[in-house]
């Protein structure tokens, strides 16, 4: 962080008037600390687990509703000849 008050000092001990520096990296920057980042990561993991459980529950119910009629094959009677 380059912000602060600066003075130039020569080898013989003379000092220049102080210069105050205000430096900004960008206009829309937000400072993020460690608790904020960890909160975002935990929320992301919880949301991912919730989504995975929801998908599992929905696909598990869809299997119970499927009819077995689609698994049956129409068999040809033995009397018919194959061409």
């Amino acid at each position: 962080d380059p912000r602060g008050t600066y003075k130039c000092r020569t080898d013989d001990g003379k000092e220049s008037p102080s210069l105050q520096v205000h430096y900004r990296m960008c206009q829309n920057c937000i400072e993020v600390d460690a608790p904020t980042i960890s909160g975002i990561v935990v929320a992301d993991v919880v949301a991912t687990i919730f989504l995975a459980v929801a998908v599992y529950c929905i696909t598990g119910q869809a299997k119970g509703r499927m009819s077995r009629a689609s698994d049956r094959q129409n068999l040809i009677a033995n009397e018919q000849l194959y061409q």
Side-chain angles (χ1 to χ4, degrees):
D1 189 17
R3 292 179 288 181
T5 304
Y6 293 92
K7 288 184 179 184
C8 292
R9 184 177 299 153
T10 60
D11 291 336
D12 59 354
K14 294 182 180 177
E15 290 186 356
S16 67
S18 63
L19 175 69
Q20 191 168 8
V21 176
H22 296 282
Y23 183 75
R24 220 172 165 174
M25 297 297 283
C26 64
Q27 293 294 331
N28 299 325
C29 292
I30 300 171
E31 289 187 28
V32 182
D33 53 352
T36 304
I37 292 173
S38 62
I40 290 170
V41 169
V42 168
D44 186 33
V45 168
V46 168
T48 302
I49 291 171
F50 178 73
L51 183 63
V53 168
V55 168
Y56 177 77
C57 290
I58 291 170
T59 57
Q61 290 178 0
K63 287 182 182 177
R65 286 190 228 142
M66 290 178 58
S67 66
R68 295 272 178 183
S70 62
D71 293 343
R72 295 182 186 157
Q73 296 179 357
N74 293 330
L75 300 176
I76 299 173
N78 289 336
E79 298 90 34
Q80 293 181 352
L81 296 174
Y82 291 103
Q83 294 184 4

